[in-house]
Amino acid sequence: MTGNGPPRRTRSLLLRILPSGPRGASIVADLDEEYRRMPPGLGRRHWYRWEALKLGIHYRLLALAAIRSRRPDRSNREGWRGSSKGEGMMKRTVRDLSHGIRRLRRDPGLAVVGVGTMALGIGATVAIFSVVNVVLLEPLPYERPHELVAIFEADRARDVTRNVANAGNALDWERQAASIADLGGAVLGQSMVVEVSGQPMEIMGSYVSPDYFRILGMDMALGRPMSPRAGGRSPAEVVLSHRFWSTVFGGDPGVVGRTFPVNGEPTEIVGVTAPGYVAFAEEAAFYRSLPLEAMGDQTDAGRFLWVVARLTPGSTPDGLQAELDVAALTLQERFPDFNAGWTTEVVPLQEHVVEGAATALWILLGSVALLLLIACANVGNLLMSRATGRQKEVAVRRALGASGGDLVGQLMAESVVLASAGAILGVGLAHLGTQLLADRLPAAFALPRIEGAGVDGPVLLFALGLTVLTSILFGLVPAFQLRRDTPSRTLAAEGRAPSRATGHFRNVLVVTEVALSVVLLVGAGLLARSFESLTAVDAGLDPENVLTARVNLQGGRYDDPRARMDFFQELVRRLEQEPGVMAVGGNTFLPMDGTGAGTSFVDADAPRPPRGEWPVADIRNVVGDYFSSMGIEVVAGRDFDGGDRLGGVRAVVVNRALAERMWPGSDPVGRRLAVNWDTLDEPWEVVGMVENVRLHGPSTEPRATIYHAYTQAAWFPFVHLTLRTSGNPAALAPRLRAVVAAMDPAVPLAQPRLMEEVVADAVARPRTTSFLMGLFAGAAALLAGVGLYGVLSYTVGRRVPEIGLHMAIGADPGRVVRMVAGQGMKLVILGLATGGLAAFALTRLLSGLLFTVSPRDPVAFIHAGAILLLTSLAATVLPAWRGARVDPATALRDG
Amino acid sequence: MSPSSFLGEFEQMLLLAILQQGDRAFALEVREELGRSAGRSVSRGAFYTTLDRLEKKGMVEWTEEDPGLRRSGPLRRFSVTSEGIAALQASRRALETLWRGLDVLAEEG
């Protein structure tokens, strides 16, 4: 009996589930009897198990219903806690969730792949969001930040926008515009030499108007802001930035009231700013107070003031702009020499702070969102393949009266569990990710508050939202798919083919994945090509083997420009003696280092145009053999030499851009320029012309530049030395420090860097953006490949009997491979076409980030297609190979 | 007869099938009879549950039969009680009353 009887384990299990006594025993006996009447074979054992399963489920559900209906009292008693319906839902949810967890535990493969994929998608999205949130979304840490605006000057005719302002003009705006409640300003980059614990240090301080912190509505962490009349007081007062206080003073709370020398002058520390962004003056180590009236006016100073204003309640930036447009006209009339052509530009402070980086960050967030969508499609696909195997179960439940809602609830529970596990892991990944980003991003984006990016309350809330959204996305689809199949049809199908619709939908998912990956790959390709052409730009200099460091002669002994000229001449002479040094030079502002000076100028021997129409040039004072140390080619005339000293010919070297603009087609050497800096009465003679250098970064076209010899124009107290070496330039840094210290131990040496680093930093943002985008696109292609693999191997598995039959009647394995590959390629090509079209429409968004690369660059599109084709080919090979190895005998027997 | 004793369609069919099978009304045969005459297979679970319900109402009873030559466990042979027969007749009467005068419509249908 054992060999031929009904499956024993199934039978005894069923007996345990059925009602005890003869009632249950007789049901099993009926089933046994029916079994005996069937022809022997594998089929009838399957049949028995299946019937037993259905019966078992039926009686289990009956028992459950009986238990529930036996507890009406309890639900009444607890009725005050909420409606009994609500309680039922709660219970059902808990039951569904634990069901979901059980299923995932039984299917570790699904759990690992699903949770891993979701963790990747959610983790990447949360990490980027944490940056976007802290940089772009969170309001600035000030009182009523929406009332704060930045005000710039602009000269649109000469293509100058967002220019810093003149203090006299700013005072005038405050007087004339009713929308301005308060106006203040900051002068940045005031290099100062301080002594902390006996060590000289060059740091960047900032002068701010006395009520600057009050206008911002910014708190002090310690002490108080500078007193309004601090300018004339002794000792002078200073407020430390929070960062400077914590790094240099070790966060010492007793620092307030202490005095230390700044530029040789005793200065009292009166306060420390609260952590967080100080508008404009983010980088400043400390702040000194200077009334706007003392910052010069339209007659004796240029434009160097960063202006912030608080609007009166109810005013808008647009309203203020209209008022200032009028004020600008008055100012143009009053100071035609200084203000001709200049207007104003009002920008909400928050907008100004994030400008430039906003596009890149939004695009990165969009990219990870696409990646997350792909991850959802992938997991949805995975769940559908499992769900297909469960159609029977679902059909039986429905036949026994489970409502559609019950079933959707149970299937959804699984995806909720999956998404939640993925989210927990993903938030962990995001935490690591933000730490990595915090290392890379500040250099790339130079944005305030970016260090603050991390997984905090709002970010967790966002992660929670993502989890809910994604579990709905990939959970609901298979759930509804299963609901659509009617029980009778599914039961009749006896577990063979899934419905055509299900297979079709899975194909749609794969096509979507491929299409989204194409969009990401094209985007990444465009950014990579743009970055490539950025680095390929001829910046006009050779940064290899060049060491730079900044020497600042602020204060006391070096107030006399002659002392500064002598110091640098001697320093260059001594450095030239050092072994391994090939050329020594220096420049007041390094190329591609972010800052610089500029002014207007005219041809001294031609009729002068009106003041508003004078051209503008960058101004650089150079020491030693600057051009040869930086590999900048002298293309006409001569380099500066020892003869260019005070009292000699006032010599300038200009760049090619200036020469071509002023004297197109003729030799610039011997021409004379009137430069609007110290005096217009003594013109400068052009003695040479050098090749263009991209001073403002590789993506900015070279502008007119005038170089002066520091020995004739020591207009700044600091110089960035540039040393070209024969060997490793970094090895020379200690010697450089020693030589400077030997000349004057009180002179600090700051920012020793390789020129290559300076150039690399200038493209840090596009490099980081394209790196991250490449990472996301790579992950997307991988996920799409996995998705395709899943669908194909599932198809092959499902068609094993059919393939076996074909092979049994003589089809060759090649045909099987072609069939599988053909199905795969059909999906891929559909995806490529859709994705290509989408990318064609979407890459416009990138145009602001692209340098010399068209958003429709065919190379990027072709590369994206090729990468996906290769990935897809790899994903197709294994299923196709498995298909071709189907053993006809086994296939037919098992089928 | 209380209104709660009105029979559902499936209950009527089941009772009739038991009557049709007479003293051969084992579960297996009744279910086959149902399948033949109703033209559709009957879910095993629904079948036994309905039998239990009819038994609770006192319309069906069963005896255990020794399987004898059969090698299965004890099988139940079902029979319809007088209350069951009464319920069937009541249902039929109710239907016939409702059908009265509608024969033409039925023919045309």
Side-chain angles (χ1 to χ4, degrees):
Chain A
M1 171 175 170
T2 41
N4 221 5
R8 263 195 299 174
R9 277 188 47 184
T10 311
R11 193 172 180 280
S12 64
L13 259 173
L14 182 61
L15 267 172
R16 260 189 273 163
I17 291 169
L18 293 178
S20 53
R23 196 188 304 266
S26 76
I27 293 175
V28 175
D30 289 343
L31 195 60
D32 291 352
E33 184 58 32
E34 213 170 329
Y35 174 85
R36 281 204 182 81
R37 292 186 197 172
M38 292 177 88
L42 207 58
R44 86 176 167 164
R45 292 178 72 83
H46 281 317
W47 170 88
Y48 188 93
R49 287 201 186 95
W50 181 236
E51 293 297 321
L53 174 69
K54 286 194 287 184
L55 263 176
I57 291 171
H58 179 79
Y59 275 91
R60 267 284 147 89
L61 290 177
L62 276 184
L64 259 175
I67 289 169
R68 248 197 256 178
S69 65
R70 249 184 269 133
R71 286 195 291 195
D73 296 348
R74 212 174 143 210
S75 71
N76 283 344
R77 201 174 63 224
E78 292 178 353
W80 58 272
R81 275 192 205 164
S83 73
S84 60
K85 189 184 173 199
E87 195 205 359
M89 264 185 69
M90 193 63 212
K91 269 192 189 150
R92 204 166 80 185
T93 308
V94 171
R95 195 186 62 218
D96 286 350
L97 284 177
S98 60
H99 177 80
I101 293 172
R102 271 200 312 278
R103 272 196 61 86
L104 286 177
R105 276 172 55 184
R106 254 181 292 156
D107 196 344
L110 172 75
V112 167
V113 175
V115 170
T117 308
M118 285 324 290
L120 179 71
I122 292 181
T125 312
V126 168
I128 295 295
F129 176 77
S130 72
V131 174
V132 168
N133 178 50
V134 80
V135 173
L136 301 184
L137 301 182
E138 268 181 17
L140 294 170
Y142 306 136
E143 228 170 89
R144 303 188 305 284
H146 58 278
E147 289 177 0
L148 293 169
V149 293
I151 309 176
F152 297 97
E153 295 201 45
D155 184 351
R156 295 204 166 73
R158 287 189 294 176
D159 213 19
V160 179
T161 55
R162 299 283 163 100
N163 204 76
V164 273
N166 173 271
N169 281 348
L171 282 168
D172 223 74
W173 299 336
E174 190 179 15
R175 277 192 291 272
Q176 291 195 38
S179 309
I180 296 181
D182 265 315
L183 181 142
V187 186
L188 306 188
Q190 296 304 298
S191 143
M192 304 179 191
V193 177
V194 299
E195 252 184 71
V196 180
S197 331
Q199 281 290 315
M201 252 178 110
E202 190 210 354
I203 49 165
M204 286 297 170
S206 171
Y207 283 108
V208 297
S209 56
D211 47 2
Y212 195 70
F213 294 111
R214 187 184 56 76
I215 294 174
L216 291 178
M218 204 185 157
D219 295 329
M220 293 286 131
L222 286 177
R224 56 171 175 85
M226 294 82 69
S227 36
R229 307 227 167 273
R233 270 200 192 178
S234 186
E237 294 183 347
V238 65
V239 165
L240 301 184
S241 79
H242 196 270
R243 189 186 303 163
F244 184 62
W245 172 66
S246 32
T247 52
V248 174
F249 288 90
D252 177 6
V255 81
V256 173
R258 205 180 288 171
T259 301
F260 72 120
V262 176
N263 293 346
E265 183 191 344
T267 304
E268 186 189 346
I269 301 170
V270 297
V272 176
T273 61
Y277 174 63
V278 178
F280 307 130
E282 162 83 346
E283 299 295 325
F286 58 75
Y287 310 93
R288 299 178 74 179
S289 156
L290 192 65
L292 291 184
E293 290 80 359
M295 293 187 186
D297 62 15
Q298 295 91 338
T299 58
D300 67 353
R303 295 178 166 87
F304 48 74
L305 186 69
W306 293 81
V307 179
V308 66
R310 185 172 283 281
L311 299 175
T312 52
S315 307
T316 63
D318 286 346
L320 175 59
Q321 180 70 66
E323 282 185 298
L324 290 185
D325 285 346
V326 178
L329 290 177
T330 322
L331 283 168
Q332 285 178 13
E333 282 166 22
R334 274 177 57 206
F335 305 96
D337 275 1
F338 186 75
N339 277 336
W342 287 90
T343 56
T344 61
E345 213 179 340
V346 179
V347 188
L349 187 60
Q350 172 113 16
E351 194 183 309
H352 164 72
V353 165
V354 302
E355 215 156 49
T359 320
L361 284 180
W362 283 123
I363 281 176
L364 283 179
L365 189 64
S367 308
V368 281
L370 287 189
L371 180 62
L372 183 61
L373 267 183
I374 296 174
C376 283
N378 226 347
V379 176
N381 215 332
L382 203 63
L383 283 182
M384 271 178 87
S385 72
R386 307 289 157 138
T388 315
R390 295 173 60 191
Q391 279 176 322
K392 282 279 177 191
E393 174 197 335
V394 171
V396 169
R397 288 191 191 175
R398 294 205 68 198
L400 294 173
S403 77
D406 291 338
L407 294 175
V408 171
Q410 281 195 8
L411 292 169
M412 280 296 295
E414 251 174 77
S415 64
V416 168
V417 170
L418 210 70
S420 306
I424 291 168
L425 203 64
V427 167
L429 284 179
H431 179 67
L432 294 178
T434 47
Q435 283 174 349
L436 284 178
L437 288 176
D439 286 345
R440 286 193 81 115
L441 286 183
F445 287 92
L447 277 175
R449 307 190 283 164
I450 201 160
E451 292 91 347
V455 179
D456 53 9
V459 173
L460 281 177
L461 210 65
F462 176 77
L464 186 72
L466 274 188
T467 313
V468 173
L469 198 74
T470 50
S471 53
I472 290 175
L473 262 180
F474 67 68
L476 214 50
V477 177
F480 275 111
Q481 194 64 48
L482 281 179
R483 270 189 72 184
R484 268 176 44 181
D485 293 327
T486 62
S488 58
R489 203 167 73 201
T490 310
L491 289 175
E494 281 293 332
R496 274 190 301 271
S499 79
R500 189 166 268 281
T502 307
H504 184 68
F505 191 80
R506 299 193 60 199
N507 289 347
V508 170
L509 281 182
V510 168
V511 171
T512 312
E513 283 184 54
V514 172
L516 292 176
S517 310
V518 171
V519 173
L520 282 181
L521 281 171
V522 169
L526 287 173
L527 289 179
R529 281 180 54 76
S530 162
F531 178 66
E532 201 182 348
S533 55
L534 262 184
T535 48
V537 160
D538 181 8
L541 52 82
D542 174 15
E544 214 177 318
N545 284 344
V546 175
L547 175 69
T548 91
R550 184 177 153 106
V551 174
N552 191 343
L553 303 180
Q554 196 86 292
R557 327 177 18 186
Y558 300 107
D559 278 349
D560 180 1
R562 284 167 200 273
R564 304 204 285 264
M565 294 173 186
D566 291 345
F567 180 92
F568 280 113
Q569 212 170 19
E570 175 61 15
L571 180 59
V572 167
R573 196 191 61 76
R574 291 196 192 182
L575 287 171
E576 278 170 349
Q577 312 300 316
E578 290 293 321
V581 172
M582 296 169 72
V584 181
N587 189 342
T588 42
F589 299 95
L590 271 186
M592 306 196 195
D593 199 25
T595 54
T599 192
S600 53
F601 69 97
V602 277
D603 187 333
D605 303 311
R608 293 187 183 182
R611 279 299 293 265
E613 293 168 22
W614 286 28
V616 175
D618 290 315
I619 297 294
R620 300 290 184 270
N621 308 154
V622 302
V623 302
D625 293 327
Y626 173 70
F627 297 122
S628 54
S629 72
M630 288 286 264
I632 300 167
E633 195 186 343
V634 180
V635 286
R638 64 169 175 89
D639 194 349
F640 294 118
D641 60 31
D644 298 320
R645 300 189 57 88
L646 288 177
V649 173
R650 283 160 67 87
V652 291
V653 170
V654 299
N655 71 343
R656 187 189 286 279
L658 185 143
E660 279 171 0
R661 185 195 158 128
M662 298 300 291
W663 313 287
S666 61
D667 187 0
V669 176
R671 306 277 191 167
R672 299 194 314 149
L673 295 175
V675 179
N676 186 19
W677 196 281
D678 52 348
T679 168
L680 282 171
D681 297 334
E682 294 176 59
W684 297 83
E685 186 181 325
V686 177
V687 298
M689 177 172 81
V690 291
E691 201 45 84
N692 291 333
V693 177
R694 299 202 172 210
L695 297 180
H696 303 276
S699 59
T700 312
E701 284 298 314
R703 305 200 296 207
T705 308
I706 300 171
Y707 296 95
H708 295 82
Y710 197 83
T711 42
Q712 288 185 329
W715 291 341
F716 300 90
F718 47 82
V719 163
H720 289 271
L721 294 171
T722 52
L723 280 79
R724 179 167 292 279
T725 63
S726 53
N728 175 11
L732 212 68
R735 280 307 300 155
L736 175 58
R737 195 176 289 281
V739 171
V740 171
M743 280 188 64
D744 183 343
V747 168
L749 185 82
Q751 299 178 300
R753 285 178 298 172
L754 302 182
M755 192 58 208
E756 281 182 305
E757 288 170 5
V758 177
V759 173
D761 282 352
V763 292
R765 184 181 296 185
R767 185 195 303 115
T768 305
T769 313
S770 84
F771 169 79
L772 286 177
M773 187 90 167
L775 209 64
F776 300 152
L782 194 71
L783 285 183
V786 170
L788 181 68
Y789 169 81
V791 166
L792 290 184
S793 49
Y794 174 77
T795 313
V796 170
R798 191 162 57 94
R799 289 171 74 171
V800 158
E802 180 197 331
I803 295 172
L805 192 66
H806 273 118
M807 307 243 304
I809 58 175
D812 73 301
R815 243 193 80 189
V816 177
V817 171
R818 275 199 299 280
M819 175 203 86
V820 178
Q823 191 211 351
M825 284 304 126
K826 221 161 58 189
L827 299 180
V828 172
I829 284 165
L830 250 169
L832 283 179
T834 324
L837 282 177
F840 202 69
L842 283 172
T843 46
R844 254 183 326 111
L845 298 175
L846 284 175
S847 51
L849 302 180
L850 295 180
F851 174 70
T852 68
V853 175
S854 149
R856 292 174 177 177
D857 180 50
V859 178
F861 277 79
I862 290 168
H863 278 176
I867 290 173
L868 264 179
L869 271 180
L870 279 179
T871 316
S872 315
L873 220 56
T876 314
V877 164
L878 203 59
W881 180 73
R882 257 188 25 213
R885 279 177 42 106
V886 164
D887 174 17
T890 322
L892 290 178
R893 196 172 59 236
D894 291 348
Chain B
M1 179 162 298
S2 68
S4 67
S5 319
F6 273 121
L7 294 169
E9 182 205 26
F10 186 60
E11 288 173 332
Q12 289 186 47
M13 287 167 70
L14 222 164
L15 291 173
L16 292 170
I18 294 173
L19 291 171
Q20 289 282 351
Q21 288 297 314
D23 57 359
R24 284 197 39 77
F26 295 98
L28 217 57
E29 277 71 23
V30 174
R31 217 171 132 242
E32 275 173 6
E33 173 66 35
L34 268 176
R36 262 196 307 277
S37 48
R40 63 180 168 105
S41 77
V42 177
S43 145
R44 209 178 292 271
F47 174 75
Y48 287 114
T49 314
T50 310
L51 277 177
D52 287 350
R53 192 166 57 241
L54 289 171
E55 185 192 342
K56 239 178 249 161
K57 288 184 184 172
M59 297 177 187
V60 159
E61 55 188 18
W62 50 268
T63 50
E64 259 184 276
E65 293 282 317
D66 190 279
L69 282 175
R70 306 163 186 260
R71 286 171 298 175
S72 309
L75 297 178
R76 286 186 290 175
R77 191 169 63 184
F78 292 91
S79 54
V80 180
T81 63
S82 50
E83 273 146 74
I85 290 169
L88 272 173
Q89 284 168 342
S91 296
R92 182 177 176 171
R93 269 198 304 276
L95 282 173
E96 278 172 347
T97 317
L98 284 167
W99 271 108
R100 198 167 301 145
L102 297 175
D103 293 353
V104 182
L105 196 119
E107 297 289 320
E108 282 177 359

